[in-house]
Amino acid sequence: MANPSLLILPGDGIGPEVMTEVRKVIDWMATKGTTFDVSEDLVGGVAYDAHGTPLTDETMERAQGVDAVLLGAVGGPQYDTLDFSLKPERGLLRLRKEMDLFANLRPAQCFDALADFSSLKRDVVSGLDIMIVRELTSGVYFGEPRGIFEEGNERVGINTQRYTESEIERVARSAFELARKRQNRLCSMEKANVMESGVLWREVVQKIGDTEYPDVELSHMYADAGAMQLTRWPKQFDVIVTDNLFGDLLSDLAAMLTGSLGMLPSASLGLPMANGRPKAMYEPVHGSAPDIAGQGKANPIACILSFAMALRYSFDMGGAADAVEGAVEKVLADGLRTADLIGEEGRAPVSTSEMGDAIIAALD
Ligand code: NAD
Protein backbone atom coordinates (compact mmCIF):
# COMPACT_ATOMS: atom_id res chain seq x y z
CA MET A 1 0.00 0.00 0.00
CA ALA A 2 1.21 3.56 -0.75
CA ASN A 3 2.56 5.62 2.12
CA PRO A 4 0.13 8.20 3.51
CA SER A 5 0.83 11.61 1.96
CA LEU A 6 1.25 14.93 3.72
CA LEU A 7 1.64 18.43 2.29
CA ILE A 8 3.45 20.72 4.72
CA LEU A 9 2.84 24.46 4.38
CA PRO A 10 4.97 26.16 7.06
CA GLY A 11 3.93 29.71 6.07
CA ASP A 12 5.23 32.84 7.79
CA GLY A 13 6.70 34.04 11.08
CA ILE A 14 6.98 31.22 13.62
CA GLY A 15 5.24 28.81 11.19
CA PRO A 16 8.53 27.37 9.83
CA GLU A 17 10.03 27.23 13.35
CA VAL A 18 7.23 25.14 14.84
CA MET A 19 7.01 23.01 11.69
CA THR A 20 10.69 22.06 12.04
CA GLU A 21 9.75 20.40 15.34
CA VAL A 22 6.86 18.52 13.70
CA ARG A 23 9.36 17.25 11.13
CA LYS A 24 11.32 15.71 14.01
CA VAL A 25 8.22 13.74 15.04
CA ILE A 26 7.64 12.63 11.43
CA ASP A 27 11.30 11.51 11.20
CA TRP A 28 10.96 9.69 14.53
CA MET A 29 7.92 7.82 13.20
CA ALA A 30 9.92 6.75 10.13
CA THR A 31 12.50 5.13 12.43
CA LYS A 32 9.62 3.12 13.91
CA GLY A 33 8.39 1.94 10.51
CA THR A 34 5.70 4.52 9.64
CA THR A 35 6.79 6.59 6.65
CA PHE A 36 4.86 9.50 5.20
CA ASP A 37 5.33 10.88 1.70
CA VAL A 38 6.00 14.46 2.70
CA SER A 39 6.07 17.39 0.31
CA GLU A 40 6.47 21.04 1.23
CA ASP A 41 5.25 24.24 -0.40
CA LEU A 42 4.64 27.95 0.18
CA VAL A 43 1.55 29.68 1.55
CA GLY A 44 0.85 33.19 2.81
CA GLY A 45 3.40 36.01 2.74
CA VAL A 46 6.28 33.80 1.60
CA ALA A 47 4.18 32.63 -1.37
CA TYR A 48 3.36 36.25 -2.18
CA ASP A 49 7.08 37.14 -2.05
CA ALA A 50 7.97 34.26 -4.38
CA HIS A 51 4.98 34.23 -6.75
CA GLY A 52 2.94 37.41 -6.20
CA THR A 53 0.00 35.43 -4.76
CA PRO A 54 -0.60 33.93 -1.29
CA LEU A 55 -1.44 30.54 -2.84
CA THR A 56 -0.59 29.41 -6.37
CA ASP A 57 -2.92 27.17 -8.39
CA GLU A 58 -0.19 24.51 -8.34
CA THR A 59 -0.08 24.50 -4.52
CA MET A 60 -3.88 24.37 -4.41
CA GLU A 61 -3.80 21.35 -6.71
CA ARG A 62 -1.20 19.61 -4.55
CA ALA A 63 -3.33 20.24 -1.46
CA GLN A 64 -6.30 18.58 -3.20
CA GLY A 65 -4.17 15.56 -4.05
CA VAL A 66 -2.75 14.60 -0.63
CA ASP A 67 -4.23 12.73 2.33
CA ALA A 68 -3.73 15.69 4.69
CA VAL A 69 -2.38 19.25 4.73
CA LEU A 70 -0.42 20.52 7.72
CA LEU A 71 -0.19 24.32 7.93
CA GLY A 72 1.96 26.47 10.25
CA ALA A 73 0.70 30.05 10.24
CA VAL A 74 0.41 32.96 7.84
CA GLY A 75 0.66 36.74 8.08
CA GLY A 76 2.97 39.50 9.15
CA PRO A 77 3.07 43.29 9.42
CA GLN A 78 5.00 43.65 6.14
CA TYR A 79 1.91 42.35 4.30
CA ASP A 80 -0.66 44.53 6.07
CA THR A 81 -0.78 47.13 3.29
CA LEU A 82 -1.33 44.62 0.47
CA ASP A 83 -4.58 44.60 -1.45
CA PHE A 84 -7.21 42.48 0.34
CA SER A 85 -7.08 39.79 -2.37
CA LEU A 86 -3.31 39.36 -1.92
CA LYS A 87 -3.12 39.23 1.87
CA PRO A 88 -1.54 36.07 3.35
CA GLU A 89 -4.83 35.06 5.02
CA ARG A 90 -6.47 34.77 1.59
CA GLY A 91 -4.26 31.75 0.92
CA LEU A 92 -5.59 30.04 4.02
CA LEU A 93 -9.20 30.92 3.19
CA ARG A 94 -8.79 29.62 -0.36
CA LEU A 95 -7.54 26.28 0.96
CA ARG A 96 -10.50 25.97 3.36
CA LYS A 97 -13.02 27.00 0.70
CA GLU A 98 -11.78 24.94 -2.26
CA MET A 99 -11.24 21.84 -0.13
CA ASP A 100 -14.77 22.47 1.26
CA LEU A 101 -13.62 21.97 4.86
CA PHE A 102 -16.98 22.32 6.57
CA ALA A 103 -16.19 20.74 9.96
CA ASN A 104 -13.80 22.63 12.20
CA LEU A 105 -12.50 20.58 15.14
CA ARG A 106 -11.22 22.48 18.14
CA PRO A 107 -10.17 20.31 21.08
CA ALA A 108 -9.98 21.72 24.58
CA GLN A 109 -7.55 19.54 26.42
CA CYS A 110 -6.01 20.49 29.74
CA PHE A 111 -2.68 18.94 30.60
CA ASP A 112 -2.42 18.40 34.31
CA ALA A 113 0.88 20.28 34.60
CA LEU A 114 -0.78 23.40 33.14
CA ALA A 115 -4.06 23.29 35.07
CA ASP A 116 -3.06 26.33 37.12
CA PHE A 117 -2.82 28.36 33.89
CA SER A 118 -6.60 28.24 33.49
CA SER A 119 -8.81 31.00 34.83
CA LEU A 120 -11.00 28.27 36.32
CA LYS A 121 -10.27 26.17 39.38
CA ARG A 122 -7.81 23.29 38.96
CA ASP A 123 -10.37 20.56 39.74
CA VAL A 124 -12.77 21.96 37.10
CA VAL A 125 -10.21 21.80 34.27
CA SER A 126 -7.60 19.22 35.27
CA GLY A 127 -7.82 16.26 32.88
CA LEU A 128 -10.34 18.06 30.66
CA ASP A 129 -10.55 16.61 27.14
CA ILE A 130 -13.46 17.77 24.99
CA MET A 131 -13.90 18.43 21.28
CA ILE A 132 -16.00 21.15 19.68
CA VAL A 133 -17.08 20.61 16.08
CA ARG A 134 -18.05 23.92 14.48
CA GLU A 135 -19.80 24.10 11.11
CA LEU A 136 -17.44 26.31 9.10
CA THR A 137 -18.82 27.07 5.64
CA SER A 138 -22.44 28.14 6.09
CA GLY A 139 -24.77 29.82 8.59
CA VAL A 140 -25.04 33.48 9.46
CA TYR A 141 -21.54 34.42 8.23
CA PHE A 142 -22.52 33.45 4.68
CA GLY A 143 -26.35 33.62 4.46
CA GLU A 144 -28.12 36.03 2.07
CA PRO A 145 -29.53 38.66 2.23
CA ARG A 146 -26.77 40.48 4.04
CA GLY A 147 -25.66 44.09 4.12
CA ILE A 148 -26.46 47.51 5.49
CA PHE A 149 -29.59 48.98 3.89
CA GLU A 150 -31.64 52.17 4.10
CA GLU A 151 -35.05 51.65 5.68
CA GLY A 152 -37.19 54.75 6.06
CA ASN A 153 -35.02 57.39 7.69
CA GLU A 154 -32.46 55.02 9.21
CA ARG A 155 -30.12 52.18 8.24
CA VAL A 156 -30.59 48.53 9.01
CA GLY A 157 -27.83 45.90 9.24
CA ILE A 158 -28.88 42.43 8.06
CA ASN A 159 -27.31 38.98 8.26
CA THR A 160 -29.19 35.80 7.61
CA GLN A 161 -28.85 32.52 9.47
CA ARG A 162 -29.45 29.84 6.85
CA TYR A 163 -28.82 26.09 6.93
CA THR A 164 -29.92 23.43 4.47
CA GLU A 165 -30.66 19.91 5.68
CA SER A 166 -27.66 18.54 3.80
CA GLU A 167 -25.32 21.08 5.40
CA ILE A 168 -26.50 20.01 8.84
CA GLU A 169 -26.38 16.32 7.94
CA ARG A 170 -22.75 16.35 6.81
CA VAL A 171 -21.38 18.18 9.84
CA ALA A 172 -23.50 16.00 12.13
CA ARG A 173 -22.00 12.88 10.52
CA SER A 174 -18.47 14.23 11.08
CA ALA A 175 -19.29 14.82 14.74
CA PHE A 176 -20.88 11.38 15.23
CA GLU A 177 -17.84 9.73 13.61
CA LEU A 178 -15.57 11.63 16.01
CA ALA A 179 -17.67 10.66 18.99
CA ARG A 180 -17.25 7.04 17.97
CA LYS A 181 -13.45 7.50 18.08
CA ARG A 182 -13.73 9.06 21.57
CA GLN A 183 -16.23 8.42 24.38
CA ASN A 184 -19.24 7.86 22.11
CA ARG A 185 -21.13 10.89 23.42
CA LEU A 186 -22.35 13.86 21.36
CA CYS A 187 -24.11 17.04 22.52
CA SER A 188 -25.68 19.23 19.81
CA MET A 189 -26.14 22.93 20.60
CA GLU A 190 -28.47 25.47 18.93
CA LYS A 191 -31.26 27.86 19.91
CA ALA A 192 -34.29 25.82 18.88
CA ASN A 193 -36.33 27.76 21.45
CA VAL A 194 -36.11 30.99 19.42
CA MET A 195 -34.71 30.17 15.94
CA GLU A 196 -36.29 28.11 13.15
CA SER A 197 -32.81 27.21 11.89
CA GLY A 198 -32.24 25.77 15.36
CA VAL A 199 -35.45 23.72 15.15
CA LEU A 200 -34.30 22.23 11.84
CA TRP A 201 -30.76 21.69 13.20
CA ARG A 202 -32.10 19.71 16.17
CA GLU A 203 -34.46 17.61 14.01
CA VAL A 204 -31.79 16.73 11.47
CA VAL A 205 -29.10 15.86 14.05
CA GLN A 206 -31.62 13.66 15.89
CA LYS A 207 -32.61 11.92 12.61
CA ILE A 208 -28.96 11.21 11.70
CA GLY A 209 -28.39 9.89 15.22
CA ASP A 210 -31.46 7.63 15.19
CA THR A 211 -30.87 6.21 11.73
CA GLU A 212 -27.07 6.04 11.37
CA TYR A 213 -25.50 6.27 14.83
CA PRO A 214 -27.88 4.66 17.34
CA ASP A 215 -24.83 3.52 19.34
CA VAL A 216 -23.74 7.13 20.06
CA GLU A 217 -25.36 8.79 23.07
CA LEU A 218 -26.93 12.01 21.73
CA SER A 219 -28.14 14.99 23.74
CA HIS A 220 -29.28 18.52 22.85
CA MET A 221 -28.70 21.79 24.67
CA TYR A 222 -29.50 25.44 23.98
CA ALA A 223 -26.23 27.17 23.09
CA ASP A 224 -26.51 29.80 25.84
CA ALA A 225 -27.02 27.09 28.45
CA GLY A 226 -24.11 25.27 26.82
CA ALA A 227 -21.84 28.27 27.42
CA MET A 228 -22.84 28.24 31.09
CA GLN A 229 -22.25 24.51 31.41
CA LEU A 230 -18.85 24.80 29.69
CA THR A 231 -17.64 27.14 32.40
CA ARG A 232 -19.48 25.40 35.26
CA TRP A 233 -18.46 21.77 34.63
CA PRO A 234 -16.84 21.27 31.20
CA LYS A 235 -15.93 17.64 31.88
CA GLN A 236 -19.59 16.64 31.39
CA PHE A 237 -19.01 16.92 27.60
CA ASP A 238 -17.19 14.70 25.13
CA VAL A 239 -17.97 15.98 21.58
CA ILE A 240 -20.09 19.10 20.97
CA VAL A 241 -21.47 19.94 17.52
CA THR A 242 -22.81 23.37 16.74
CA ASP A 243 -23.25 25.94 13.97
CA ASN A 244 -20.77 28.49 12.66
CA LEU A 245 -21.70 31.42 14.92
CA PHE A 246 -22.22 29.53 18.18
CA GLY A 247 -19.18 27.39 17.40
CA ASP A 248 -17.03 30.46 16.91
CA LEU A 249 -17.90 31.63 20.43
CA LEU A 250 -18.03 28.29 22.22
CA SER A 251 -14.75 26.98 20.77
CA ASP A 252 -12.87 30.11 21.87
CA LEU A 253 -14.44 29.86 25.29
CA ALA A 254 -13.59 26.18 25.65
CA ALA A 255 -10.05 26.60 24.31
CA MET A 256 -9.23 29.28 26.81
CA LEU A 257 -10.28 27.03 29.68
CA THR A 258 -6.96 25.33 29.08
CA GLY A 259 -4.39 28.14 29.10
CA SER A 260 -1.98 29.23 26.37
CA LEU A 261 -2.49 29.90 22.65
CA GLY A 262 0.76 28.01 22.04
CA MET A 263 -0.96 24.77 23.11
CA LEU A 264 -4.06 24.76 20.90
CA PRO A 265 -4.33 22.51 17.82
CA SER A 266 -7.16 22.38 15.29
CA ALA A 267 -8.39 20.41 12.31
CA SER A 268 -10.74 21.22 9.46
CA LEU A 269 -12.36 18.28 7.72
CA GLY A 270 -14.39 17.87 4.54
CA LEU A 271 -16.10 15.00 2.77
CA PRO A 272 -14.43 11.59 2.48
CA MET A 273 -12.13 11.13 -0.54
CA ALA A 274 -12.02 8.02 -2.74
CA ASN A 275 -9.70 6.30 -0.20
CA GLY A 276 -12.21 6.90 2.61
CA ARG A 277 -10.09 9.55 4.34
CA PRO A 278 -11.72 12.95 4.83
CA LYS A 279 -10.28 15.99 3.08
CA ALA A 280 -8.33 17.55 5.89
CA MET A 281 -6.14 20.42 6.97
CA TYR A 282 -4.49 20.57 10.39
CA GLU A 283 -3.09 23.76 11.91
CA PRO A 284 -2.34 25.38 15.24
CA VAL A 285 -4.91 27.97 16.37
CA HIS A 286 -2.22 30.63 16.85
CA GLY A 287 -0.97 33.02 14.17
CA SER A 288 2.52 33.81 12.91
CA ALA A 289 3.52 35.66 16.11
CA PRO A 290 5.78 38.25 14.44
CA ASP A 291 6.73 39.62 17.88
CA ILE A 292 8.72 36.47 18.68
CA ALA A 293 9.52 35.10 15.19
CA GLY A 294 13.14 34.12 14.56
CA GLN A 295 14.05 34.12 18.24
CA GLY A 296 13.56 30.44 19.09
CA LYS A 297 10.85 31.35 21.58
CA ALA A 298 7.79 29.82 19.88
CA ASN A 299 6.00 26.96 21.57
CA PRO A 300 5.84 24.10 19.03
CA ILE A 301 3.27 22.07 21.00
CA ALA A 302 0.14 23.42 19.22
CA CYS A 303 1.60 22.39 15.86
CA ILE A 304 2.82 19.02 17.17
CA LEU A 305 -0.64 18.34 18.64
CA SER A 306 -2.17 19.31 15.28
CA PHE A 307 -0.04 16.59 13.71
CA ALA A 308 -1.29 14.19 16.41
CA MET A 309 -4.84 15.07 15.31
CA ALA A 310 -3.84 14.19 11.74
CA LEU A 311 -2.57 10.83 12.95
CA ARG A 312 -5.87 10.15 14.70
CA TYR A 313 -8.43 11.58 12.30
CA SER A 314 -6.82 11.19 8.86
CA PHE A 315 -4.65 8.13 9.28
CA ASP A 316 -6.45 6.05 11.92
CA MET A 317 -3.23 5.93 13.93
CA GLY A 318 -4.82 6.51 17.32
CA GLY A 319 -1.99 4.69 19.12
CA ALA A 320 0.65 6.96 17.60
CA ALA A 321 -1.49 10.02 18.40
CA ASP A 322 -1.76 8.85 22.02
CA ALA A 323 2.03 8.43 22.12
CA VAL A 324 2.65 11.99 20.86
CA GLU A 325 0.13 13.45 23.31
CA GLY A 326 1.63 11.35 26.08
CA ALA A 327 5.11 12.67 25.26
CA VAL A 328 3.81 16.26 25.44
CA GLU A 329 2.18 15.47 28.78
CA LYS A 330 5.46 14.00 30.06
CA VAL A 331 7.70 16.95 29.13
CA LEU A 332 5.23 19.35 30.74
CA ALA A 333 5.07 17.18 33.86
CA ASP A 334 8.89 17.20 33.89
CA GLY A 335 8.69 20.98 34.15
CA LEU A 336 9.79 22.03 30.65
CA ARG A 337 8.22 25.32 29.61
CA THR A 338 8.60 27.56 26.56
CA ALA A 339 8.45 31.28 27.36
CA ASP A 340 4.66 31.53 26.85
CA LEU A 341 4.11 28.93 29.60
CA ILE A 342 6.21 30.64 32.23
CA GLY A 343 3.87 31.89 34.91
CA GLU A 344 4.96 33.05 38.31
CA GLU A 345 7.07 29.98 38.96
CA GLY A 346 10.31 31.68 37.86
CA ARG A 347 11.59 28.75 35.73
CA ALA A 348 14.02 29.37 32.87
CA PRO A 349 12.26 28.84 29.52
CA VAL A 350 13.43 26.30 26.96
CA SER A 351 13.73 27.15 23.26
CA THR A 352 11.50 25.90 20.45
CA SER A 353 14.02 23.25 19.42
CA GLU A 354 14.76 22.17 23.00
CA MET A 355 11.03 21.57 23.49
CA GLY A 356 10.88 19.55 20.25
CA ASP A 357 13.95 17.51 21.22
CA ALA A 358 12.48 16.80 24.67
CA ILE A 359 9.25 15.53 23.08
CA ILE A 360 11.28 13.18 20.85
CA ALA A 361 13.25 11.97 23.87
CA ALA A 362 9.96 11.34 25.70
CA LEU A 363 8.67 9.40 22.68
CA ASP A 364 11.77 7.24 22.81
P1 NAD B 1 -0.74 35.42 17.11
O1 NAD B 1 -1.47 34.19 17.44
O2 NAD B 1 0.26 35.36 16.03
O3 NAD B 1 -0.01 35.99 18.42
C1 NAD B 1 -0.72 36.42 19.59
C2 NAD B 1 0.23 36.38 20.79
O4 NAD B 1 0.46 35.02 21.17
C3 NAD B 1 1.60 36.96 20.49
O5 NAD B 1 2.08 37.63 21.64
C4 NAD B 1 2.45 35.77 20.20
O6 NAD B 1 3.83 35.95 20.52
C5 NAD B 1 1.84 34.71 21.10
N1 NAD B 1 1.94 33.36 20.49
C6 NAD B 1 1.23 32.87 19.45
N2 NAD B 1 1.61 31.65 19.14
C7 NAD B 1 2.58 31.33 20.01
C8 NAD B 1 3.40 30.17 20.19
N3 NAD B 1 3.28 29.07 19.42
N4 NAD B 1 4.32 30.19 21.16
C9 NAD B 1 4.46 31.26 21.95
N5 NAD B 1 3.73 32.38 21.83
C10 NAD B 1 2.81 32.42 20.87
O7 NAD B 1 -1.86 36.51 16.76
P2 NAD B 1 -1.68 38.03 16.23
O8 NAD B 1 -0.50 38.66 16.89
O9 NAD B 1 -3.01 38.65 16.39
O10 NAD B 1 -1.40 37.92 14.68
C11 NAD B 1 -0.09 37.90 14.10
C12 NAD B 1 -0.23 37.57 12.62
O11 NAD B 1 -0.73 36.25 12.48
C13 NAD B 1 -1.20 38.48 11.87
O12 NAD B 1 -0.68 38.73 10.58
C14 NAD B 1 -2.47 37.65 11.79
O13 NAD B 1 -3.25 38.00 10.68
C15 NAD B 1 -1.90 36.27 11.64
N6 NAD B 1 -2.80 35.18 12.09
C16 NAD B 1 -2.73 34.03 11.37
C17 NAD B 1 -3.46 32.92 11.77
C18 NAD B 1 -3.32 31.66 10.99
O14 NAD B 1 -2.39 31.54 10.21
N7 NAD B 1 -4.18 30.68 11.20
C19 NAD B 1 -4.26 32.99 12.92
C20 NAD B 1 -4.28 34.18 13.66
C21 NAD B 1 -3.53 35.27 13.23
Side-chain angles (χ1 to χ4, degrees):
M1 221 170 74
N3 292 330
S5 56
L6 261 181
L7 174 62
I8 292 190
L9 302 172
D12 305 318
I14 62 169
E17 298 172 47
V18 295
M19 203 58 87
T20 300
E21 306 311 309
V22 175
R23 285 277 199 167
K24 291 178 184 169
V25 180
I26 294 172
D27 293 344
W28 178 87
M29 290 189 67
T31 66
K32 303 290 166 198
T34 304
T35 306
F36 292 90
D37 283 340
V38 182
S39 52
E40 190 167 317
D41 212 333
L42 302 177
V43 69
V46 285
Y48 173 78
D49 290 340
H51 304 297
T53 169
L55 189 79
T56 64
D57 292 343
E58 291 73 31
T59 311
M60 188 65 239
E61 212 169 293
R62 285 171 94 176
Q64 296 280 20
V66 292
D67 292 324
V69 176
L70 193 58
L71 186 134
V74 297
Q78 66 272 46
Y79 307 110
D80 283 352
T81 51
L82 286 179
D83 183 73
F84 187 70
S85 65
L86 298 174
K87 283 189 187 295
E89 291 75 9
R90 300 307 298 172
L92 185 56
L93 295 177
R94 182 176 175 197
L95 282 161
R96 288 181 185 155
K97 184 163 187 292
E98 293 193 18
M99 292 169 75
D100 200 9
L101 303 174
F102 56 82
N104 183 225
L105 279 52
R106 292 269 301 264
Q109 192 175 7
C110 185
F111 292 96
D112 204 44
L114 298 182
D116 294 326
F117 253 78
S118 173
S119 50
L120 299 188
K121 292 194 194 91
R122 167 172 271 277
D123 68 317
V124 176
V125 293
S126 176
L128 178 72
D129 180 8
I130 62 180
M131 176 74 78
I132 300 203
V133 180
R134 164 190 173 192
E135 199 289 328
L136 200 59
T137 53
S138 185
V140 74
Y141 294 159
F142 296 93
E144 297 284 346
R146 62 182 299 164
I148 299 174
F149 305 96
E150 300 288 335
E151 198 175 271
N153 56 3
E154 63 175 353
R155 292 180 306 158
V156 53
I158 296 179
N159 291 91
T160 303
Q161 167 84 332
R162 181 179 189 279
Y163 271 107
T164 63
E165 282 185 287
S166 55
E167 286 169 340
I168 303 169
E169 282 171 4
R170 64 184 193 172
V171 73
R173 283 195 187 95
S174 296
F176 277 112
E177 291 291 336
L178 275 168
R180 272 190 178 159
K181 289 183 180 173
R182 295 169 50 95
Q183 293 171 30
N184 231 25
R185 292 187 292 120
L186 177 64
C187 181
S188 170
M189 293 189 186
E190 27 54 21
K191 291 277 289 176
N193 48 344
V194 285
M195 296 170 75
E196 285 75 8
S197 59
V199 173
L200 184 71
W201 182 281
R202 186 176 284 222
E203 272 178 32
V204 171
V205 173
Q206 185 67 49
K207 180 194 76 184
I208 297 289
D210 290 344
T211 54
E212 300 175 34
Y213 300 91
D215 53 308
V216 178
E217 187 188 315
L218 173 64
S219 60
H220 302 273
M221 200 177 272
Y222 298 137
D224 50 343
M228 280 198 308
Q229 292 300 329
L230 270 170
T231 43
R232 191 187 70 83
W233 191 243
K235 288 185 228 175
Q236 70 187 279
F237 298 108
D238 178 23
V239 180
I240 293 171
V241 64
T242 188
D243 73 16
N244 203 342
L245 173 63
F246 297 139
D248 196 359
L249 307 181
L250 294 172
S251 64
D252 271 13
L253 186 159
M256 275 301 121
L257 298 177
T258 68
S260 164
L261 201 50
M263 296 290 301
L264 299 171
S266 80
S268 301
L269 306 182
L271 287 171
M273 299 182 283
N275 62 9
R277 292 179 174 136
K279 286 236 165 184
M281 180 159 76
Y282 299 85
E283 54 183 312
V285 169
H286 62 71
S288 58
D291 53 334
I292 57 165
Q295 301 170 35
K297 287 185 183 168
N299 184 349
I301 292 179
C303 203
I304 290 174
L305 292 177
S306 300
F307 177 62
M309 289 184 82
L311 293 174
R312 179 169 286 119
Y313 299 119
S314 278
F315 301 121
D316 259 327
M317 298 180 190
D322 286 345
V324 173
E325 288 163 2
V328 168
E329 177 123 47
K330 178 169 187 314
V331 299
L332 294 173
D334 287 348
L336 261 75
R337 303 280 187 271
T338 41
D340 56 310
L341 300 178
I342 299 286
E344 280 140 25
E345 315 140 57
R347 301 169 202 255
V350 298
S351 68
T352 308
S353 66
E354 284 168 333
M355 181 58 94
D357 291 343
I359 290 169
I360 299 301
L363 277 167
D364 273 331

